[in-house]
Amino acid sequence: MKKVFLVRHAKSSWENSLLSDFERPLNKRGEKDAHFMGELLAKKKIHPNIIISSPALRAITTAKIIADKLNYPENKIHIDKNIYEGTWKELLNIINSSPESYSDLMLVGHNPALTLLNNYLSDEPIINIPTCGISGIKFEIKNWEEVTKAEGKNFLFEYPKKYSAR
């Protein structure tokens, strides 16, 4: 069995209009949400073998915060430039070409590609993966190259506003 976790970066700041989209940091709510979601994943005993992140500041910061909560070494986070501005097909290619030794893979990136990928792979379409939202899809397969259309079972869909009374 293989599991894919699709993580949309946490809420970013638009405070500094001089920054490029790539350089936008998380805002305070985004930082809080990333910590919360990392703790939630840890409580659910989710521990990916590999975390692959977009190099955009808001995505890599989200990845680092979640990795810390999961006791995943920050220096083991893989950066893939194809995630930033990548299509869902490019994200699928990253999954399909992942080493077979990994059973649980986490991609940290951006919409609309993450939501489109979820809807291509999963038995449960999602209208939108919100900021810091996480979709978990499992596949009854042995090789990552077998991950394909509608073969996955969605077993997790978590996002901060689901717990807004926290």
Side-chain angles (χ1 to χ4, degrees):
M1 180 187 314
K2 303 283 190 190
K3 294 179 188 169
V4 173
F5 298 92
L6 304 176
V7 181
R8 184 175 172 197
H9 65 78
K11 196 84 173 152
S12 61
S13 173
W14 292 86
E15 195 172 298
N16 185 345
S17 61
L18 299 177
L19 292 177
S20 70
D21 178 71
F22 189 83
E23 299 171 307
R24 281 191 291 121
L26 296 182
N27 66 17
K28 286 181 183 177
R29 184 178 119 200
E31 287 185 29
K32 179 181 169 189
D33 287 348
H35 284 279
F36 175 78
M37 294 304 289
E39 290 166 5
L40 182 67
L41 292 177
K43 285 179 190 169
K44 291 181 176 286
K45 299 189 181 340
I46 292 170
H47 298 283
N49 305 111
I50 185 170
I51 298 176
I52 307 169
S53 178
S54 159
L57 181 58
R58 62 194 181 277
I60 192 61
T61 304
T62 301
K64 287 177 179 178
I65 292 170
I66 290 174
D68 178 63
K69 300 298 179 185
L70 301 179
N71 294 316
Y72 183 95
E74 182 180 312
N75 66 341
K76 300 270 189 202
I77 296 171
H78 293 257
I79 306 291
D80 191 318
K81 62 181 173 39
N82 294 313
I83 297 175
Y84 182 70
E85 295 186 336
T87 66
W88 66 267
K89 288 181 182 178
E90 289 169 297
L91 300 183
L92 179 58
N93 186 50
I94 292 167
I95 293 168
N96 289 152
S97 60
S98 292
E100 299 310 329
S101 58
Y102 301 132
S103 59
D104 294 4
L105 181 149
M106 181 177 282
L107 286 180
V108 182
H110 313 271
N111 261 353
L114 288 175
T115 297
L116 292 170
L117 179 61
N118 176 88
N119 294 345
Y120 179 79
L121 296 177
S122 172
D123 61 337
E124 290 185 36
I126 295 172
I127 294 171
N128 177 50
I129 298 176
T131 52
C132 217
I134 302 168
S135 170
I137 308 165
K138 62 183 173 182
F139 301 87
E140 296 295 332
I141 58 170
K142 291 185 180 181
N143 302 306
W144 286 113
E145 65 187 18
E146 297 174 64
V147 171
T148 189
K149 184 176 184 176
E151 293 293 319
K153 302 284 181 223
N154 188 289
F155 71 95
L156 177 97
F157 184 44
E158 299 288 357
Y159 49 94
K161 285 191 176 180
K162 192 174 179 182
Y163 301 88
S164 59
R166 59 182 158 87

